[in-house]
Amino acid sequence: MSGPDQLFAKLRARPARARVWVQTLILLVHPGSSGHGGGSDTTPHRASVSPAAAEQATSRLTGERPEGGGADERRRHARDELRRGGVVWLAYATAVRHLIRLAVPAAAVFLPIGLLAASALIFLADGSAAVVNGDFELIGAPDTSLLVWSAAVLVVLVAGQAVALPATVMLATGRLVGKDVSTSDAMRAAARRWPATAVLVLVGVVAFTAALAAGLGILMWTGAQVTAYAVMAVLALAAMPCLLAVAPMVLEGRSARGALARAYRLTAGASWVTPLTLAFGVVLLPALAAKAVNWAVSGLPIVPAVAGSVLALITVPFQATVIARLFLHRLVIKGTITEFKEIVDGLPASTPRPARRMPVLAALLLPGLLYGAAVLINPLGWPEVSETAVTENWSRGPDSEVSEEDGRPKPELDASDLRALYAGLGGRMVMLLDGSAEAKLLTCMDSSCTRTQFTWAEPVGVVGRFTAAGARLADGRLVVSTWTQEGADEDGLIPDYDKWHAWLRLLICDATTCIPAPGGRPITEVTSSVQHRTVALAARPDGGLLVAQLHDRPFSARDIDKETLSITTCDDPACAHPRTKEIAKLPIDRFANDTPGLIAGVGSDDHPVVVRFDRGTGSIFVISCDDPACARTRMGQPVREGSPDYSGHAHRSDTAMAVRTDGQPLIAHLDVSDGAIKLLDCHTRECSKADTVTLAEPGRNTAPAMVLDRNGRALVAYQDLDRDRIVIAACAGTRCTRTPVTTIRRGGDDGLAMALNGQGRPMIAWMDVGGWHDWDLVVTTPLNLP
């Protein structure tokens, strides 16, 4: 070429090279490519240069030869795609499109772990497992073996995650850059990097624990919740790049330290965007999805467990794809073409077999299917339990609404109100509740007690501090004691004690309402508001009623340290013609308060039996009658005086009694000296001779409730507070089988009552109390008690 021609060629080349330099400068300083401009990683299409054009310009400037071929085009297209913002949603879209293939590592790792852990749990949970409302549940507080098992499973799951997550990151990276990677190659690569992954896991655990500890420390030191949560959030976000470090560790073969350094370098320039992306994409959104699914299927049997197992397996692909895309996104923006090319070329060159949808779907559903089969078939004979938290949606505050019928305020329920449970009319279960006000009835309108009716049992103006007693009549109606009074004002105050009187009367109740016993007469009259009056009722086999009473001796009597036990026999439930007789003098119980400790029963031969428990000494007295009129009585004392140790736990009643068909009683009681639950199998009516069996070892147990089932076995229910569970002991004589039936989730309480429902199953009503307004009335029904 001649000199002039060469000159003109150089002049023509300068504008072209100038355009290349301008394009390169725009690419380098544009907010979407460098992280400037508020940390945004998005690249607007206007006034921007494509990665392909930039690469061609750079190659012309540096003298590098441009890449060629289809692989180069795919790589350029992948870089262009990865430069886009909206990392989380784009990653989730990729995970959905390739979910079957991306879910294989998690299924291959966690399915064997889950099956082995479940198999071991079957043996470890023997005696403490049950099917509650159609779902498997461990009853009570776990013992040492279960705690060790839980810790071992957690460690193994973390170790499995250290393989499944990096392998899925590699598979997701291949999907994002258009290169196929086989699952086996990804798993092998992740396994080789397991030591570095383990170090990353340890660093992450330490970092997030430090964030939690710092927040809790501030909360305990200053009590400032907002400050504590803010500190925890900031420190947790600062530790989020630990998750991003998984990608350089598995894709670039870096050590744990090098991967962390790489992750924090890539985070620079988007110091808040990158941690927030990881927080939302890897942690918060999967957790919210799990919560939403759990809420949507709550209340359904089996479905929550099936949905939970599937979510646990498919969450890993979404988390891994977010990590992979975010790493490549930051690398394209902050790195070089050579680094990106090295990562793509470093992916295992393999030809993966096509993913088989059906086997993978079957693997995802396998845990849920096995769980459902185990729950439905119940091959190991676990106890099956139906349970309802009756007051779960009740307001704990005062109810200011007024009934339209009689202008009376609606009844309110307190945690200490539960007294007894009965099988009422039509098979409906009815609870008698009484505290400091008038007694109430709570009726279960269905077998599970999900629908209830709550009404007053006693009328307005009765003596509130005298606790109501109840009994079930043969026709299913209830009879309830009540104390009417005269000489009190509208607020229940007594202006003149000399003019005050109270009378013991009876109410007859169906499932929902109570009325004064028609034709009934007052059974007892009280003239002093401080007189101690304890009442117990029992239905007689001929349709009549037995009323047992304890009352103080007059001050003029020589034995004022005694109290009198009297019984009133009635030929009808209304007690139109009461016949009262004093049958015993017993040591006065100065610790009674509202804990009566008096139980009345009648055998099939119509012979009364009365049990008196003395909280002051722990003694139990049994008084029996040789005939229905109680012309002759016998008294036994199967439990002598002890040394009570209540440890501040006020029991409402520490004994329960059932009279067998032969007239001899069974008595379950709480040993006040050590808290053990014991059963007395009496050989005589007055229980002067009895066999004793210990149902619950010494500890923190609450007073028992007892019924006889249709086979004549004694069923004794009690709360084992040391192990946070409720237990039913089924006893034929002194041979007893103990079955935990439910977990005490708050703290339990003395309130526990039991009765057989219409199907002959024991239904337990109990109070689970954790605090002043933190309590629930719970109904638990074992369906297959052994």
Side-chain angles (χ1 to χ4, degrees):
M1 183 180 296
S2 63
D5 293 334
Q6 292 177 354
L7 177 61
F8 285 113
K10 291 180 179 180
L11 292 175
R12 286 194 299 271
R14 286 176 180 175
R17 182 165 295 184
R19 285 196 300 273
V20 172
W21 279 108
V22 171
Q23 292 171 348
T24 304
L25 182 62
I26 292 174
L27 182 64
L28 293 176
V29 302
H30 195 274
S33 61
S34 63
H36 299 292
S40 174
D41 290 334
T42 58
T43 303
H45 293 289
R46 294 182 300 171
S48 63
V49 180
S50 68
E55 181 180 356
Q56 293 173 358
T58 304
S59 62
R60 285 196 297 269
L61 290 174
T62 60
E64 295 179 359
R65 303 181 69 178
E67 301 173 355
D72 300 332
E73 291 298 328
R74 287 195 300 271
R75 209 156 29 232
R76 283 194 290 270
H77 176 73
R79 288 199 301 271
D80 191 21
E81 172 66 20
L82 290 168
R83 200 177 289 271
R84 295 173 57 189
V87 170
V88 173
W89 311 119
L90 293 174
Y92 278 15
T94 302
V96 170
R97 287 195 301 270
H98 305 286
L99 184 59
I100 298 298
R101 182 177 295 279
L102 295 178
V104 173
V109 170
F110 293 125
L111 278 181
I113 294 175
L115 293 176
L116 290 174
S119 300
L121 180 61
I122 290 175
F123 298 100
L124 294 174
D126 184 30
S128 61
V131 179
V132 181
N133 292 337
D135 280 314
F136 174 80
E137 184 176 306
L138 293 176
I139 302 300
D143 56 19
T144 304
S145 60
L146 285 176
L147 292 175
V148 172
W149 170 86
S150 300
V153 171
L154 179 61
V155 171
V156 174
L157 287 175
V158 171
Q161 182 77 337
V163 174
L165 183 63
T168 311
V169 167
M170 180 169 284
L171 290 178
T173 302
R175 294 290 92 191
L176 292 170
V177 301
K179 185 173 181 179
D180 290 329
V181 179
S182 69
T183 302
S184 58
D185 287 340
M187 297 283 286
R188 281 194 292 267
R192 287 194 296 268
R193 303 301 304 158
W194 191 88
T197 309
V199 175
L200 281 181
V201 170
L202 181 61
V203 171
V205 169
V206 171
F208 286 105
T209 301
L212 180 62
L216 292 177
I218 292 175
L219 184 62
M220 295 177 62
W221 185 260
T222 65
Q225 294 186 4
V226 175
T227 303
Y229 293 148
V231 170
M232 282 191 286
V234 170
L235 293 178
L237 288 175
M240 278 295 165
C242 294
L243 294 172
L244 187 63
V246 174
M249 182 272 302
V250 70
L251 297 176
E252 297 179 316
R254 296 177 182 267
S255 64
R257 180 179 179 181
L260 286 170
R262 176 73 152 163
Y264 278 96
R265 282 198 302 269
L266 292 178
T267 302
S271 301
W272 288 108
V273 175
T274 300
L276 287 173
T277 300
L278 289 167
F280 277 92
V282 180
V283 180
L284 295 179
L285 292 181
L288 291 175
K291 287 280 188 182
V293 171
N294 186 61
W295 172 83
V297 300
S298 62
L300 300 175
I302 301 175
V303 177
V306 175
S309 65
V310 173
L311 277 176
L313 293 176
I314 67 173
T315 296
V316 176
F318 289 91
Q319 294 172 321
T321 308
V322 169
I323 293 173
R325 186 175 186 99
L326 181 61
F327 172 72
L328 296 174
H329 175 76
R330 297 301 305 165
L331 182 66
V332 167
I333 291 175
K334 297 186 67 66
T336 65
I337 297 174
T338 302
E339 290 176 319
F340 183 82
K341 182 175 181 297
E342 288 176 352
I343 289 176
V344 175
D345 293 340
L347 293 174
S350 55
T351 304
R353 290 178 294 180
R356 298 180 180 180
R357 295 180 180 272
M358 293 308 298
V360 176
L361 290 175
L364 293 176
L365 295 174
L366 180 61
L369 295 175
L370 292 176
Y371 175 86
V375 169
L376 292 175
I377 301 174
N378 195 7
L380 299 178
W382 291 322
E384 297 179 16
V385 177
S386 170
E387 185 167 271
T388 302
V390 176
T391 57
E392 183 177 15
N393 298 318
W394 287 29
S395 173
R396 300 298 190 270
D399 188 356
S400 60
E401 297 183 21
V402 177
S403 172
E404 297 179 357
E405 287 78 9
D406 57 5
R408 187 179 184 183
K410 291 184 177 180
E412 297 177 9
L413 183 62
D414 188 74
S416 60
D417 283 351
L418 181 61
R419 298 295 166 182
L421 175 66
Y422 306 98
L425 289 172
R428 297 174 179 174
M429 304 303 291
V430 183
M431 301 177 209
L432 176 62
L433 306 138
D434 192 13
S436 59
E438 296 88 353
K440 297 148 280 193
L441 293 182
L442 192 150
T443 304
C444 298
M445 307 302 290
D446 53 27
S447 60
S448 60
C449 210
T450 54
R451 295 185 300 109
T452 60
Q453 183 167 334
F454 190 33
T455 59
W456 291 106
E458 292 185 290
V460 178
V462 300
V463 184
R465 74 178 191 86
F466 287 178
T467 304
R472 181 185 185 276
L473 301 174
D475 59 5
R477 294 180 300 165
L478 304 183
V479 57
V480 176
S481 67
T482 184
W483 291 85
T484 59
Q485 62 181 338
E486 182 180 283
D489 59 19
E490 295 180 355
D491 297 326
L493 301 177
I494 303 173
D496 187 352
Y497 285 96
D498 293 334
K499 297 180 180 180
W500 183 86
H501 294 265
W503 296 270
L504 173 62
R505 300 179 185 271
L506 299 176
L507 302 171
I508 304 296
C509 310
D510 59 17
T512 57
T513 58
C514 296
I515 61 173
R521 297 172 54 189
I523 299 173
T524 304
E525 181 180 359
V526 176
T527 58
S528 172
S529 64
V530 297
Q531 280 183 279
H532 173 56
R533 291 283 172 170
T534 299
V535 178
L537 306 179
R540 297 173 63 188
D542 59 357
L545 188 70
L546 175 69
V547 182
Q549 298 181 74
L550 278 172
H551 52 86
D552 299 335
R553 300 283 293 168
F555 287 106
S556 59
R558 297 178 58 185
D559 49 356
I560 60 174
D561 59 340
K562 301 281 187 179
E563 54 187 357
T564 301
L565 172 64
S566 65
I567 63 170
T568 301
T569 54
C570 309
D571 296 330
D572 59 278
C575 209
H577 303 286
R579 298 180 298 275
T580 301
K581 179 180 181 180
E582 294 185 2
I583 62 172
K585 295 187 178 93
L586 302 171
I588 192 168
D589 184 358
R590 304 188 184 279
F591 294 88
N593 296 325
D594 65 340
T595 60
L598 184 68
I599 307 170
V602 179
S604 59
D605 56 2
D606 202 15
H607 292 191
V609 179
V610 180
V611 171
R612 167 62 166 148
F613 173 75
D614 189 336
R615 288 193 72 243
T617 62
S619 300
I620 294 179
F621 300 91
V622 181
I623 301 93
S624 67
C625 300
D626 289 346
D627 59 275
C630 216
R632 180 180 178 185
T633 63
R634 303 174 187 269
M635 184 168 66
Q637 190 176 357
V639 178
R640 300 289 175 175
E641 296 183 5
S643 300
D645 179 16
Y646 291 101
S647 301
H649 203 62
H651 298 285
R652 200 161 13 263
S653 177
D654 292 314
T655 53
M657 180 186 69
V659 181
R660 296 178 297 200
T661 56
D662 59 4
Q664 296 173 359
L666 287 164
I667 302 172
H669 71 100
L670 180 73
D671 191 326
V672 298
S673 62
D674 59 11
I677 302 289
K678 297 180 180 179
L679 177 66
L680 300 177
D681 183 5
C682 301
H683 295 172
T684 60
R685 290 179 184 271
E686 75 280 6
C687 207
S688 57
K689 297 180 180 180
D691 292 330
T692 302
V693 58
T694 299
L695 304 180
E697 298 301 324
R700 295 191 308 127
N701 302 300
T702 61
M706 181 168 60
V707 296
L708 296 179
D709 68 6
R710 293 177 177 177
N711 297 321
R713 296 186 305 170
L715 305 181
V716 182
Y718 59 92
Q719 299 186 45
D720 181 353
L721 300 181
D722 287 329
R723 297 170 181 82
D724 297 331
R725 62 185 186 178
I726 289 180
V727 181
I728 288 185
C731 300
T734 57
R735 298 188 302 275
C736 299
T737 302
R738 300 161 189 81
T739 305
V741 294
T742 191
T743 299
I744 300 172
R745 292 170 176 80
R746 291 181 176 88
D749 187 68
D750 286 327
L752 185 146
M754 181 170 59
L756 296 182
N757 63 13
Q759 293 77 38
R761 294 166 174 159
M763 175 181 281
I764 306 170
W766 57 286
M767 290 290 187
D768 191 7
V769 180
W772 183 251
H773 293 300
D774 180 25
W775 55 268
D776 265 321
L777 171 62
V778 185
V779 170
T780 302
T781 306
L783 305 178
N784 64 339
L785 196 66

